[in-house]
Amino acid sequence: WTLIDRSHVPEGRSIVRLIWVHKRKRSGALKARLCVQECAQVRGVDFDQTFCATMRPTSLRALAAIANSAGMRMRRWDFVAAYLQGELEQDEVVYCHAPP
């Protein structure tokens, strides 16, 4: 983190907002994540690509068919959400407000 004045943000770059996302886990523990507010980002300016490693329905059906033909049982899967936790390039900079 490096705090800078708004006047030092380059022309055409937006300052994205950060929000706290709170969740109570099944065990009763509390979890908090600091996330970028998605609707504040502009494609091509703040990011240029996204990737989310999730399974397509056709892949799931193919996996189920292979497991069935091999006489295997499939266990329950729980796909709640997929979060993007990307690495920034060496010269990549994200301008955001200070955390609330």
Side-chain angles (χ1 to χ4, degrees), residues 33-45:
R33 292 186 312 268
L34 185 62
C35 301
V36 173
Q37 191 174 9
E38 180 183 352
C39 61
Q41 299 181 67
V42 178
R43 184 180 186 96
V45 177

Side-chain angles (χ1 to χ4, degrees), residues 47-89:
F47 67 94
D48 61 356
Q49 58 183 319
T50 58
F51 174 76
C52 184
T54 59
M55 185 180 285
R56 293 181 182 173
T58 53
S59 300
L60 178 60
R61 286 192 297 271
L63 185 61
I66 292 169
N68 186 40
S69 67
M72 302 170 95
R73 289 187 163 192
M74 295 181 64
R75 295 182 183 226
R76 185 188 85 151
W77 292 325
D78 189 12
F79 296 105
V80 175
Y83 298 99
L84 303 177
Q85 298 179 3
E87 297 289 327
L88 294 177
E89 299 291 328

Side-chain angles (χ1 to χ4, degrees), residues 1-4 6 9 13-20 34-37 40 94-100:
W1 296 84
T2 304
L3 291 176
I4 62 170
R6 287 179 184 245
V9 176
R13 294 295 304 264
S14 60
I15 302 174
V16 295
R17 294 192 181 278
L18 298 175
I19 58 172
W20 283 103
L34 185 62
C35 301
V36 173
Q37 191 174 9
V94 176
Y95 297 98
C96 54
H97 291 279

Side-chain angles (χ1 to χ4, degrees), residues 7 11-12 25 27 40 47 55 82 99:
S7 61
E11 182 91 17
K25 300 188 78 117
S27 64
F47 67 94
M55 185 180 285

